[in-house]
């Protein structure tokens, strides 16, 4: 079964064709990062307008890269939640229109759940050449989902059957990377620019606290972000009233590298502590990481060093927002669920993954 996936929930316009939830036939991602960089973050109206311009060319390219025509497509999957409302509307309207005009079954899927399914893609064709996992993860599967909007540990008993073990009580970890990058004067998105700056830094230069949480698998990153801010203020000798956007100008290159490395080390160690605790308590058959922060090399290294099983990671390009993960999840939906009428698809900007209608 060949599923066309469409993703437009934030600042990537993406379309992809995946066969049987595992074989990547095409993967087209148009990133708006260069536009939003100018503003230091995503501007919702600008994002929606760019999606409108790009959605049709991106979908057409996904079909041509896959060397397929509409007659070959068996179903369409689209992100309907969560995300920016204007962005979600563009992708869902395109998917609804195509489902009607091309007469294809339509499966609206959850973006965060979709991230996990990047790990189910194990084969590729048409000249794609990422390093993919050698096999699909086995259940029960422990998933650490870490993106710009989410930080959670979820135990999957099977497709569509999972429980939330813990989640962030304040900021998502990707959000913390983005905010700390801003403090340090590094470019948006913060994850990759902090990783780059950190290569020249000492991860133990500044001692930053790990939050103590009541829930064994819960996270908190807002205190860590504030701890970086206070440490930077102390380092350059200003008080808390000093404008934070002017702080970076007082730091030299080696201080920035040390702050980036110390923050990255502590944020990742926090994620790994909780994942290790959940692994010990639930003995899953596999562990996967998902979401934009799963692209972090530091996370991959710390996790592999601390968990007693071999972990296979999805390629970086399938960790940040893409439509292959949406198409892969759409396949598993199609195995268990009736399609949704194109007239009934509604976008939901804020929706927990545990509230999706798998039953
Ligand atoms: O999943 P994603 O592409 O979009 C959301 O659904 O949020 O995640 C974006 C987040 C951003 O906060 C970005 O800073 C972070 O993923 N990120 C990283 C890395 N690459 C992207 N964080 C840490 N290390 C990276 N290498
Ligand atoms: Zn995402």
């Amino acid at each position: 079964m060949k599923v066309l996936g469409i993703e437009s929930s934030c600042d990537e316009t993406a379309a992809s064709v995946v066969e049987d939830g595992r074989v990547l036939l095409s993967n087209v991602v148009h990133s708006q990062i260069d536009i939003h960089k100018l503003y230091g973050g995503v501007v919702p109206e600008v994002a929606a307008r760019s999606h409108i311009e790009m959605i049709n060319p991106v979908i057409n390219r996904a079909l041509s890269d896959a060397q397929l025509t509409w007659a070959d497509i068996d179903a369409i999957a689209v992100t309907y939640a969560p995300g920016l409302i204007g962005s979600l509307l563009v992708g869902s309207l395109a998917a609804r229109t195509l489902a009607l005009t091309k007469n294809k079954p339509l499966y609206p899927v959850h973006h965060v759940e979709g991230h996990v399914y990047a790990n189910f893609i194990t084969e590729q064709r048409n000249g794609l050449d990422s390093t993919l996992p050698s096999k699909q993860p086995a259940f029960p599967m422990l998933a650490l989902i870490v993106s710009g909007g989410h930080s959670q540990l979820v135990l999957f008993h099977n497709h569509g059957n999972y429980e939330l073990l813990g989640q962030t009580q304040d900021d998502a970890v990707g959000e913390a990377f983005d905010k700390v990058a801003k403090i340090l004067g590094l470019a948006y998105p913060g994850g990759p620019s902090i990783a780059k700056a950190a290569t020249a830094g000492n991860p133990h230069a500044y001692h930053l606290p790990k939050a103590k949480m009541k829930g064994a698998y819960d996270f908190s990153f807002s205190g860590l972000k504030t701890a970086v801010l206070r440490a930077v203020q102390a380092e350059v000798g200003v008080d808390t009233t000093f404008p934070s956007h002017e702080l970076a100008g007082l730091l030299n290159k080696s201080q920035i590298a040390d702050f980036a490395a110390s923050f990255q080390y502590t944020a990742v160690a926090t994620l790994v502590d909780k994942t290790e605790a959940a692994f010990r308590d639930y003995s899953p058959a596999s562990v996967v990481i998902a979401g934009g922060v799963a692209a972090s090399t530091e996370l991959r290294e710390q996790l592999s060093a601390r968990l007693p099983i071999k972990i296979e990671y999805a390629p970086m390009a399938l960790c940040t927002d893409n439509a292959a993960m949406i198409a892969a999840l759409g396949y598993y939906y199609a195995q268990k669920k009736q399609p949704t009428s194109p007239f009934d698809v509604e976008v939901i900007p804020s929706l927990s993954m545990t509230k999706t209608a798998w039953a």
Side-chain angles (χ1 to χ4, degrees), residues 101-331:
T101 55
K102 309 290 182 189
N103 198 21
K104 306 290 178 189
L106 178 61
Y107 297 93
V109 305
H110 192 278
H111 176 85
V112 180
E113 190 179 3
H115 269 299
V116 175
Y117 280 77
N119 292 284
F120 284 80
I121 295 171
T122 56
E123 290 174 48
Q124 59 200 330
R125 310 247 192 282
N126 304 320
L128 294 167
D129 63 351
S130 305
T131 304
L132 298 174
S134 63
K135 58 180 188 314
Q136 292 191 316
F139 295 107
M141 167 182 83
L142 178 64
L144 172 67
I145 307 174
V146 277
S147 73
H150 295 82
S151 306
Q152 47 194 223
L153 272 166
V154 181
L155 186 66
F156 281 71
H157 301 288
N158 209 326
H159 299 294
N161 175 8
Y162 46 79
E163 58 185 300
L164 180 67
L165 301 182
Q167 61 185 333
T168 183
Q169 302 300 302
D170 42 57
D171 292 354
V173 61
E175 197 179 340
F177 269 89
D178 295 340
K179 287 178 176 168
V180 167
K182 237 181 187 172
I183 295 170
L184 299 179
L186 299 170
Y188 171 85
S193 52
I194 285 188
K196 194 165 166 228
T199 54
N202 169 8
H204 306 292
Y206 300 99
H207 179 75
L208 300 168
K210 287 186 194 163
K212 301 233 176 341
M213 304 301 294
K214 259 205 214 124
Y217 318 113
D218 283 338
F219 307 104
S220 160
F221 291 102
S222 146
L224 176 58
K225 172 204 66 193
T226 309
V228 173
L229 179 63
R230 297 285 174 260
V232 171
Q233 287 163 340
E235 184 76 15
V236 299
V238 300
D239 68 16
T240 54
T241 59
F242 188 83
S244 60
H245 62 273
E246 289 177 23
L247 281 170
L250 303 178
L251 290 168
N252 64 37
K253 249 192 151 165
S254 104
Q255 287 168 320
I256 292 172
D258 283 346
F259 274 116
S262 302
F263 163 75
Q264 177 177 255
Y265 175 82
T266 308
V268 166
T270 308
L271 295 173
V272 176
D273 286 350
K274 302 296 166 112
T275 310
E276 194 183 23
F279 181 86
R280 214 175 36 231
D281 295 347
Y282 290 92
S283 308
S286 65
V287 176
V288 299
I289 56 175
V293 183
S296 164
T297 308
E298 177 74 18
L299 175 58
R300 291 164 181 230
E301 287 176 1
Q302 285 197 32
L303 207 55
S304 292
R306 294 212 1 223
L307 289 188
I309 57 167
K310 185 171 180 297
I311 306 178
E312 292 197 278
Y313 298 109
M316 307 285 182
L318 296 183
C319 289
T320 47
D321 286 351
N322 67 86
M325 65 189 200
I326 302 302
L329 174 57
Y331 168 78

